[in-house]
Amino acid sequence: MSKSDNLEGRQFDAIALNLVAAYDKVLGIIRGEIPLPEVVELFLTNYCNFACPYCRCGKYHGDRSQYMDFAALSNLLDELSQRGIKTLEMGGGGEPLEHPRIEEILTRLAKDGFRLGLITNGYVLTEKLALIDLLLQCADWVRFSVDATTNDVYRSVHGRPSLSYLTLKEIMVKMVQSVNAKPQMDQRPKIGMKLIVQQPNENQIHQAIDEALEIGVHYLQFKWLDDHPWSIPLERRPQLVDDLKSKVAEIPQERLTVDLLPGYGGPRMQGRCIMSVLHPLIDWDCSIYICAFFHNRKKSHSIGNIKQSQFFQCWGSEDHREHIKGVDPNQCVPNCPLLRYNPVIEFIKKEAYRFRYI
Ligand code: SF4
Ligand code: SF4
């Protein structure tokens, strides 16, 4: 299960320890600076080959013609390279592997030493096997949004009657085998599976763990679906968590990491993020947004467009500062993952005077 720790009686998410890796930038942000991004997220397309009824971005999706301009992306990669920013995340938005020039993009990332975290439904790989080898060269992690362990549930939660979970499973097996076949590689990607837990797959949680072990993925994530007719009622969740915990207790820790993540629902967390400044997003139309949760406030979250100007002409500008100041936390996604850093930031602010005396 997700590891948490206890800090003076406060629970915090162990993922917040990511702040250690970016500590100088974190201190800069606390001082009110805008440092270079730690990671740049890309929504390469606005089209998805799936039609999940609960998709957060579904109502904004377009057709296959909506994808990021290759020349603008190329210029962005040049700019990021020059500043030493080599970490990218791709998600959606739409399905990133649906970009018509995805092979060229991954080839460029591999050639120029970029490192990638990819969130994908993975189905494009069933037709473009060559992408697997490219991902092996440039990805730190690839997370498959699986959401089911049988064909019937897979089709229903992804809204496409022609899909086959078993076909995707073959791809995941192939990918894990490809990773394991290259023990000499320094940076082999971790492969993960994720299930959005909802009524149609409520009875597949145990099976998902068995599948993850059989396929050999490195990690498995569960996340509650919230605020949707298929959400599992709150009163049923504690029993599911207990079942999950007892199943996880049977697995040797080194074989599989299992996390249960909160959904984007429930009571709104208090406060506002300050670490989103390390993680900007470029949408398929080349707009730069100050965070990935911009769809309900495109105007107030956009700080420019990489087709019209260079990324670093927009980054750190007065306009950028004004946009950060203008964030209205009441419009933020409830339980935004970026808020998990706040308790640690508070701790750093209070205790930094003694940090070097290790
Ligand atoms: S696969 Fe992801 S992006 Fe595509 S419809 Fe489903 S939830 Fe949305
Ligand atoms: S949704 Fe709000 S809290 Fe989350 S990253 Fe964006 S601005 Fe920050």
Side-chain angles (χ1 to χ4, degrees):
M1 297 293 289
S2 186
K3 292 155 207 79
S4 60
D5 211 331
N6 188 284
L7 199 66
E8 289 193 339
R10 277 182 298 247
Q11 288 292 318
F12 74 94
D13 188 329
I15 292 172
L17 293 175
N18 288 352
L19 295 175
V20 174
Y23 191 58
D24 287 343
K25 291 180 183 176
V26 170
L27 293 182
I29 294 170
I30 292 173
R31 290 193 297 266
E33 297 162 10
I34 298 183
L36 294 177
E38 190 70 355
V39 55
V40 175
E41 185 164 354
L42 305 171
F43 285 178
L44 286 187
T45 75
N46 195 36
Y47 166 77
C48 187
N49 47 349
F50 285 11
C52 313
Y54 50 86
C55 178
R56 223 168 34 83
C57 299
K59 63 178 173 225
Y60 308 106
H61 280 162
D63 61 25
R64 280 203 151 91
S65 68
Q66 297 189 325
Y67 57 85
M68 192 177 284
D69 179 77
F70 186 78
L73 173 61
S74 237
N75 291 337
L76 172 73
L77 296 176
D78 288 342
E79 278 194 84
L80 296 177
S81 243
Q82 281 158 16
R83 306 274 184 137
I85 300 163
K86 291 284 192 172
T87 311
L88 303 172
E89 186 172 323
M90 288 180 188
E95 165 53 47
L97 298 183
E98 282 286 347
H99 193 289
R101 297 179 71 172
I102 190 65
E103 275 187 77
E104 282 169 86
I105 293 169
L106 295 179
T107 302
R108 163 89 199 262
L109 299 191
K111 181 170 91 43
D112 288 355
F114 282 94
R115 302 302 302 168
L116 174 68
L118 173 67
I119 300 168
T120 177
N121 64 40
Y123 223 72
V124 168
L125 298 175
T126 64
E127 288 174 358
K128 293 188 180 174
L129 282 173
L131 295 181
I132 292 181
D133 195 48
L134 290 171
L135 286 170
L136 235 59
Q137 295 173 45
C138 65
D140 280 328
W141 51 269
V142 176
R143 198 186 75 205
F144 289 88
S145 307
V146 175
D147 303 318
T149 58
T150 55
N151 279 341
D152 56 336
V153 176
Y154 190 70
R155 288 169 186 148
S156 123
V157 296
H158 294 307
R160 294 269 192 252
S162 57
L163 296 175
S164 158
Y165 165 69
L166 294 176
T167 305
L168 179 73
K169 181 175 173 179
E170 281 173 27
I171 289 297
M172 291 189 288
V173 169
K174 201 170 180 39
M175 188 129 191
V176 170
Q177 285 172 345
S178 307
V179 170
N180 292 342
K182 306 217 171 180
Q184 75 285 1
M185 270 178 77
D186 286 345
Q187 295 173 293
R188 292 185 298 164
K190 299 282 186 204
I191 310 300
M193 282 169 55
K194 180 162 177 182
L195 273 84
I196 302 286
V197 182
Q198 50 195 296
Q199 291 180 38
N201 64 20
E202 183 175 353
N203 297 321
Q204 300 199 329
I205 289 177
H206 278 210
Q207 204 181 338
I209 294 174
D210 292 336
E211 288 285 298
L213 289 167
E214 184 191 328
I215 296 167
V217 293
H218 302 99
Y219 67 94
L220 172 64
Q221 292 181 340
F222 295 100
K223 183 176 198 165
W224 298 113
L225 175 66
D226 282 324
D227 300 332
H228 187 273
W230 284 357
S231 300
I232 295 174
L234 292 180
E235 61 275 15
R236 289 223 296 273
R237 296 187 186 188
Q239 183 60 53
L240 285 171
V241 173
D242 285 347
D243 286 354
L244 182 56
K245 279 184 179 163
S246 54
K247 177 80 178 169
V248 169
E250 295 166 8
I251 312 168
Q253 179 122 39
E254 66 281 3
R255 282 203 60 198
L256 181 68
T257 302
V258 182
D259 285 313
L260 175 60
L261 309 171
Y264 294 136
R268 201 167 280 282
M269 277 205 246
Q270 295 300 309
R272 47 171 305 170
C273 69
I274 61 170
M275 285 304 131
S276 62
V277 75
L278 294 179
H279 187 145
L281 179 132
I282 319 281
D283 200 12
W284 68 274
D285 64 359
C286 296
S287 299
I288 308 166
Y289 291 102
I290 58 176
C291 86
F293 305 99
F294 61 85
H295 282 100
N296 59 336
R297 46 194 167 165
K298 287 189 171 181
K299 193 156 180 288
S300 66
H301 263 38
S302 169
I303 57 167
N305 186 297
I306 55 166
K307 249 166 117 175
Q308 287 144 20
S309 44
Q310 294 201 316
F311 179 82
F312 285 107
Q313 284 173 338
C314 309
W315 192 258
S317 64
E318 212 33 58
D319 185 53
H320 186 186
R321 271 177 204 288
E322 288 306 312
H323 278 76
I324 292 172
K325 271 193 221 149
V327 170
D328 174 4
N330 291 316
Q331 292 185 42
C332 288
V333 60
N335 269 333
C336 176
L338 269 294
L339 289 172
R340 64 191 164 201
Y341 299 115
N342 285 13
V344 184
I345 296 295
E346 288 310 311
F347 182 81
I348 291 172
K349 281 185 188 166
K350 193 165 143 249
E351 303 292 334
Y353 72 94
R354 63 182 168 97
F355 279 2
R356 288 178 306 281
Y357 302 90
I358 194 160

